[in-house]
């Protein structure tokens, strides 16, 4: 038996209960297609359904079941054994878990920290224009694309927070997210003025540029390190500097130099200058 599902979905946490349900003798956790199938064992894997189906066409001999379906099957069997409406202390998981994990509500995947900041960013727009005004007035796509890209570019170029927001503690990244939230909501609500340009041939661009990138990296297999703000702060790129000076015509004659231009010559700093002690 092979139970498959993405990493972190709960396979390992429910492994023992699944093993008992399917009547397997032991558990092979983290199984991959490069390994043999152990007869009578429960195999837990992160491999995708498509890859497993292809492997089965080439001789993989095992029953395949997605983790969500396995949990539903197991919980249904437990409820049936216990009797409708009754309880059991042996139940390894709440039957609602296997159903809830597949619901469209997936709020637990979103970090509350960013949501808190996003709320403040949306508050700024709410007090300036009226909360949810974009659902009534509608929005123009180009305006919010410019806003989002502008905030991202300012952050990328070293400005962490939006200076126009009182307190200057709201990240440009959050302001970009807020712009995209309004843009997407308007699209969902059919309140978007879509002024995007005619559709581009992105497939051609992707293919050409990917080929160019590969050619550049092949020609320069050992690229130089990137210069970064953190690197510069730590002295990246700093080399010993020897100042260059301008010499007057009289100093040129005194040093025995021949080449000069009007106003003096640019030269490496000599050991001793005329008039220098």
């Amino acid at each position: 038996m092979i139970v498959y599902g993405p990493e972190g979905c709960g396979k390992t946490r429910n492994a023992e209960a699944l093993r008992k349900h399917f009547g397997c003798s032991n558990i092979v956790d983290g199984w991959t297609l490069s390994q043999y199938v152990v007869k009578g064992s429960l195999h837990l894997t992160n491999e995708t359904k498509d890859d497993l189906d292809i492997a089965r066409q080439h001789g993989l001999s095992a029953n395949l079941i997605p983790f969500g379906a396995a949990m539903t099957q197991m919980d249904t069997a437990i409820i049936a054994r216990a009797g409708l409406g009754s309880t059991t202390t042996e139940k390894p998981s709440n039957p609602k878990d296997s159903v809830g994990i597949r619901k469209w509500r997936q709020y637990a995947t979103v970090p509350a920290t960013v949501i808190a900041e996003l709320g403040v960013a949306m508050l700024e727009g709410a007090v300036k224009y009226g909360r949810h005004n974009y659902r009534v007035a509608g929005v123009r796509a180009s305006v919010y694309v410019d806003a989002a890209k502008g905030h991202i570019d300012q952050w990328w170029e070293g400005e962490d927070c939006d200076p126009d927001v009182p307190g200057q503690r709201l990240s440009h990244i959050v302001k970009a997210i807020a712009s995209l939230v309004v843009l997407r909501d308007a699209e969902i609500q059919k309140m978007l003025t879509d002024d995007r340009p005619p559709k581009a041939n992105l497939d051609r661009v992707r293919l050409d540029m990917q080929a160019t990138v590969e050619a550049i990296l092949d020609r320069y297999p050992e690229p130089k390190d990137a210069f970064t703000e953190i690197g510069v702060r730590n002295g990246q790129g700093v080399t010993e500097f020897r100042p260059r000076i301008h010499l007057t015509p009289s100093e040129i004659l005194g040093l025995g130099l021949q080449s000069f231009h009007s106003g003096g010559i640019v030269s490496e700093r000599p050991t001793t200058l005329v008039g220098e002690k």
Side-chain angles (χ1 to χ4, degrees), residues 1 14 27 91 116 187 226 251:
M1 173 65 69
N14 294 280
I27 301 169
K91 185 170 61 176
E187 188 175 38
E251 290 173 329

Side-chain angles (χ1 to χ4, degrees), residues 33-276:
L33 286 169
S34 63
Q35 299 174 274
Y36 290 105
V37 173
V38 181
K39 186 177 181 180
S41 297
L42 173 67
H43 301 74
L44 305 177
T45 182
N46 298 334
E47 301 282 5
T48 66
K49 180 180 184 302
D50 289 342
D51 289 341
L52 290 168
D53 285 341
I54 292 174
R56 187 153 58 177
Q57 293 173 11
H58 290 79
L60 176 64
S61 178
N63 293 322
L64 305 178
I65 184 170
F67 172 69
M71 290 296 295
T72 299
Q73 183 184 118
M74 180 181 68
D75 290 335
T76 300
I78 292 172
I79 293 173
R81 288 197 301 270
L84 186 62
S86 64
T87 60
T88 175
T89 57
E90 297 180 356
K91 185 170 61 176
S93 64
N94 188 328
K96 192 174 182 179
D97 290 349
S98 58
V99 177
I101 199 173
R102 302 174 71 86
K103 288 285 189 179
W104 66 271
R105 302 182 302 270
Q106 297 293 331
Y107 302 123
T109 64
V110 184
T113 49
V114 178
I115 291 298
E117 291 185 322
L118 178 59
V120 176
M122 299 298 287
L123 171 66
E124 183 195 16
V127 297
K128 289 167 64 176
Y129 311 114
R131 184 166 60 86
H132 289 93
N133 71 299
Y134 45 86
R135 285 193 174 179
V136 177
V139 303
R140 186 177 297 277
S142 59
V143 172
Y144 285 83
V145 168
D146 283 347
K149 286 186 174 181
H151 284 297
I152 292 173
D153 287 346
Q154 289 172 89
W155 180 86
W156 182 250
E157 292 296 342
E159 187 176 77
D160 293 335
C161 296
D162 187 351
D164 293 333
V165 178
Q168 299 186 13
R169 294 182 179 179
L170 196 58
S171 170
H172 275 299
I173 295 297
V174 180
K175 291 295 292 289
I177 294 172
S179 299
L180 295 175
V181 165
V182 172
L183 180 64
R184 177 56 182 154
D185 187 82
E187 188 175 38
I188 292 173
Q189 302 299 330
K190 308 297 184 184
M191 292 300 292
L192 178 68
T193 298
D194 189 346
D195 61 342
R196 288 177 291 177
K199 188 174 294 186
N201 186 358
L202 295 178
D203 287 340
R204 180 72 268 164
V205 172
R206 280 190 285 260
L207 288 172
D208 288 348
M209 291 304 98
Q210 185 61 50
T212 303
V213 168
E214 297 292 346
I216 291 173
L217 295 179
D218 287 344
R219 177 173 292 185
Y220 305 100
E222 298 181 1
K224 302 296 184 182
D225 292 336
F227 282 79
T228 65
E229 177 64 19
I230 294 176
V232 170
R233 292 175 189 171
N234 293 329
Q236 182 184 29
V238 176
T239 57
E240 184 180 355
F241 175 69
R242 299 185 66 194
R244 304 172 73 84
I245 63 173
H246 289 273
L247 303 179
T248 65
S250 61
E251 290 173 329
I252 293 171
L253 295 176
L255 294 173
L257 301 176
Q258 303 297 320
S259 176
F260 65 91
H261 62 80
S262 178
I265 184 171
V266 177
S267 171
E268 296 292 341
R269 184 179 179 87
T271 303
T272 302
L273 295 180
V274 174
E276 182 178 81

